[in-house]
Amino acid sequence: MRWLILTVVSAFVVVGVLAVLMQRQGPIRRFGTSVKTALLARGVVLRQLGLSLVIALLMIAAFAACAEATGTTLPVEAALTLVPLILTAMMIPVSVGGWGLREGAAAVLFPILGASASAGVAAGAAYGLALMIACLPGLLMIPLHTRAQRAGELPAVDTVVR
């Protein structure tokens, strides 16, 4: 419980510091206005929170499905408690796409469920492959975006940032 309180307080401090910085400087101020409009405007906050919750639950379900595909059945309670820890390990910025960290965290945490460490590695690798496959259709957008930009249908990136 102490970690949760510490995390929430730290998040509020970071947001507060960013809010002060965003009010002082020109480009950062415009960025701050955009963030407020996109995330904190009336009626948007609940949508953002709802979509974030749905996305998090879908990621947990996807990992559980990958574990099932590799031969390990995760109970719902285990999926809701251990999988977020495994997926959080991916965010440590010492690898590409969380490869290695996700599998290592799964290898450490799967024995808690009574599964083997190798089952955790297999589930983590299957999840990584599933994510890569799911992202492949996005590659199709690169040539379309480039073509539209050349045709003048889209503004250049530097004009959008200004």
Side-chain angles (χ1 to χ4, degrees):
M1 187 63 170
R2 291 181 189 177
W3 288 105
L4 178 63
I5 293 170
L6 182 63
T7 302
V8 170
V9 169
S10 298
F12 277 111
V13 168
V14 168
V15 168
V17 168
L18 287 174
V20 169
L21 288 174
M22 287 180 196
Q23 291 179 351
R24 291 187 179 174
Q25 299 172 358
I28 295 176
R29 187 178 202 174
R30 286 193 300 269
F31 175 74
T33 304
S34 299
V35 168
K36 287 178 189 175
T37 302
L39 300 176
L40 303 175
R42 175 174 265 159
V44 174
V45 174
L46 290 177
R47 289 181 199 155
Q48 292 286 5
L49 289 174
L51 287 173
S52 296
L53 179 63
V54 168
I55 290 168
L57 290 173
L58 288 173
M59 289 177 67
I60 292 169
F63 191 93
C66 290
E68 183 79 31
T70 58
T72 305
T73 301
L74 295 178
V76 174
E77 300 83 15
L80 291 175
T81 55
L82 294 181
V83 173
L85 296 173
I86 294 168
L87 298 181
T88 300
M90 292 175 21
M91 296 188 318
I92 300 171
V94 294
S95 71
V96 176
W99 284 97
L101 297 173
R102 173 185 51 246
E103 291 77 16
V108 169
L109 294 173
F110 263 48
I112 294 172
L113 304 169
S116 67
S118 61
V121 172
Y127 181 78
L129 289 172
L131 279 181
M132 286 177 55
I133 292 168
C135 292
L136 286 176
L139 290 176
L140 298 174
M141 298 308 296
I142 294 172
L144 294 175
H145 184 271
T146 305
R147 217 175 304 140
Q149 197 170 12
R150 284 187 188 144
E153 297 170 8
L154 294 173
V157 173
D158 61 344
T159 59
V160 173
V161 173
R162 289 185 197 157

